[in-house]
Amino acid sequence: MPVEFLGIAATNEGSEVTSRSGASFDKEYTLRLARAHQDYGWDRVLFAYGSGSPDPSPAAAYIAARTETLQILVAHRPNVSYPTFAAKTFATLDRISDGRLAVHFITGGNDHEQRREGDFLTKDERYARTREAIQIIKKAWTSHEPFDHEGTHYRFNDFVSDTFPVQQPHPRVSFGGSSPAAYAAGGAEADIYCLWGEPLAETAEQIESVKAAARAAGRTDTPRIQVAFRPVIAPTEELAWEKAHRTLDRIKARRAGAPPARRHPLTNPENSGSQRLLRVAARSERHDRALWTPTAAETGGAGNSTALVGTPETVAQALLDYYDLGVEILSARGYDLLDDAIDFGRQVIPIVREEVAKRDASQQADRPAP
């Protein structure tokens, strides 16, 4: 089973532990970070979406034109553009990148953040809209004949695009969420289903929920599973844990200095994924081989926030534990974005790839001859 690594395509050096030094879109830093991922063995990077952040699509086009092999995952909220427009945008990006694009559809887990850009639907309504938007975009990517659409959230007549993606039948669709509505929408439409880093037992339960949703939607295949972590690595276990606690202190200091309007609420998050992370953190600081939760607790379970702590070998083995559950895409993002991307690429990715190759070779040898 193949394994892929997803990193972050940040547009500046700011993170939970440090303030950015310049503009929100720093061209030189964005390119340097992307090239570091390409040079050190990563498969793709994510251009994330935020209501006040740089638009991920032109940022992705900038990187696609200046890299050769790095694949690109662009986050998209369906409320910010009409599906026919979005389909053309992403088809154009796939052309610019020579077929290196995937699209991550974000339904939105926080009402306040969604309303910043005029989205006042309920959470369940947003999931229904996302599913409808994905269906339209897929059809726009593949239909060479004009078509009409009349749905709950979108209506149009006689649309046909003259811009089609390089990838056939279309770029991969990525989706995430931890609620029944999310499983239903993503299980039906996604090529990749994204989860945040929970303990192995909870991750296995979520994978089964995704598979069940795919079966309920009538699919004969299932989405590939992606799980995201924040790696904290050092040459020894002792140094790694010292680094982890320094990182937590830096997160606390950074949060204390942030303007009140930009502080993520630490309690009672609206989205199921953050609620799950906080429950895991309340149960114990450490889980399984290397999973550490205080970083999630300190940030209110905001997104990818659970850490894997240890030597490169320990973190690699922890990632392989998830691979053995059926996770094919491993997402990792350090706190010092550039240095951590290089260190992880040099020290962790080769171990995981080597062990995956051994597993694949063993499975191949065990198969009976035809």
Side-chain angles (χ1 to χ4, degrees):
M1 183 173 72
V3 63
E4 298 179 9
F5 287 91
L6 170 70
I8 191 68
T11 58
N12 59 73
E13 82 274 36
S15 75
E16 294 94 332
V17 301
T18 183
S19 301
R20 71 173 192 250
S21 61
S24 62
F25 183 47
D26 180 336
K27 290 200 307 181
E28 289 72 22
Y29 182 85
T30 301
L31 181 57
R32 190 159 67 249
L33 182 62
R35 285 181 172 161
H37 281 87
Q38 177 173 267
D39 293 344
Y40 288 95
W42 299 77
D43 294 287
R44 67 174 54 79
V45 289
L46 166 67
F47 283 87
Y49 190 94
S51 60
S53 302
D55 189 326
S57 292
Y62 171 71
I63 292 303
R66 289 161 177 81
T67 56
E68 297 73 43
T69 60
L70 187 67
Q71 298 174 54
I72 293 166
L73 178 60
V74 174
H76 172 65
R77 286 183 184 167
N79 60 291
V80 300
S81 67
Y82 210 73
T84 50
F85 177 83
K88 294 184 294 181
T89 299
F90 299 136
T92 304
L93 271 173
D94 201 49
R95 288 279 160 186
I96 292 170
S97 66
D98 295 321
R100 289 183 277 148
L101 178 74
V103 182
H104 180 64
F105 287 83
I106 301 174
T107 297
N110 181 279
D111 289 346
H112 179 258
E113 169 69 5
Q114 293 300 120
R115 290 169 183 170
R116 284 172 165 165
E117 293 188 286
D119 185 8
F120 287 84
L121 297 186
T122 66
K123 183 179 177 181
D124 284 349
E125 288 171 337
R126 293 199 297 266
Y127 274 115
R129 179 184 59 196
T130 299
R131 186 170 180 176
E132 186 177 342
I134 293 172
Q135 292 168 346
I136 294 168
I137 290 170
K138 285 181 178 177
K139 190 167 185 179
W141 278 339
T142 56
S143 177
H144 292 261
E145 298 295 330
F147 66 96
D148 301 338
H149 179 85
E150 185 164 351
T152 302
H153 299 282
Y154 303 105
R155 178 183 178 185
F156 56 85
N157 297 117
D158 202 39
F159 177 79
V160 64
S161 178
D162 193 34
T163 305
F164 294 92
V166 171
Q167 298 176 77
Q168 296 298 315
H170 54 71
R172 287 189 291 179
V173 168
S174 172
F175 189 91
S178 297
S179 67
Y183 297 141
E189 302 296 339
D191 301 301
I192 300 167
Y193 201 100
C194 307
L195 303 171
W196 290 334
E198 297 185 16
L200 292 165
E202 283 84 349
T203 300
E205 291 171 359
Q206 291 217 74
I207 292 172
E208 288 307 312
S209 295
V210 174
K211 290 180 177 179
R215 290 192 298 269
R219 292 178 62 167
T220 57
D221 64 336
T222 56
R224 299 178 70 199
I225 301 297
Q226 172 184 305
V227 179
F229 302 97
R230 307 301 292 270
V232 180
I233 60 174
T236 69
E237 295 293 326
E238 182 180 6
L239 290 173
W241 285 104
E242 289 177 1
K243 181 179 178 181
H245 287 287
R246 286 198 308 273
T247 299
L248 184 60
D249 289 342
R250 294 172 69 191
I251 292 172
K252 292 177 179 178
R254 175 88 168 92
R255 284 193 54 80
R262 297 185 182 180
R263 293 176 187 167
H264 181 82
L266 297 180
T267 59
N268 301 321
E270 297 171 20
N271 62 305
S272 297
S274 293
Q275 292 168 7
R276 290 176 65 98
L277 292 187
L278 291 181
R279 286 197 296 270
V280 168
R283 196 166 78 234
S284 177
E285 288 192 355
R286 296 178 66 169
H287 298 264
D288 303 324
R289 190 188 299 266
L291 188 69
W292 194 54
T293 62
T295 48
E298 180 61 30
T299 56
N304 174 15
S305 55
T306 49
L308 291 178
V309 182
T311 64
E313 293 78 12
T314 296
V315 171
Q317 291 302 321
L319 292 169
L320 287 162
D321 292 338
Y322 288 89
Y323 174 83
D324 291 337
L325 287 181
V327 176
E328 297 181 55
I329 303 171
L330 300 169
S331 174
R333 171 164 57 103
Y335 289 97
D336 294 299
L337 300 177
L338 181 59
D339 290 344
D340 287 347
I342 294 171
D343 288 346
F344 188 90
R346 292 176 61 187
Q347 300 176 42
V348 178
I349 289 178
I351 298 175
V352 176
R353 291 200 192 279
E354 181 179 357
E355 290 300 319
V356 166
K358 290 178 182 178
R359 283 164 165 76
D360 290 347
S362 177
Q363 290 175 1
Q364 186 67 29
D366 290 341
R367 290 192 183 115

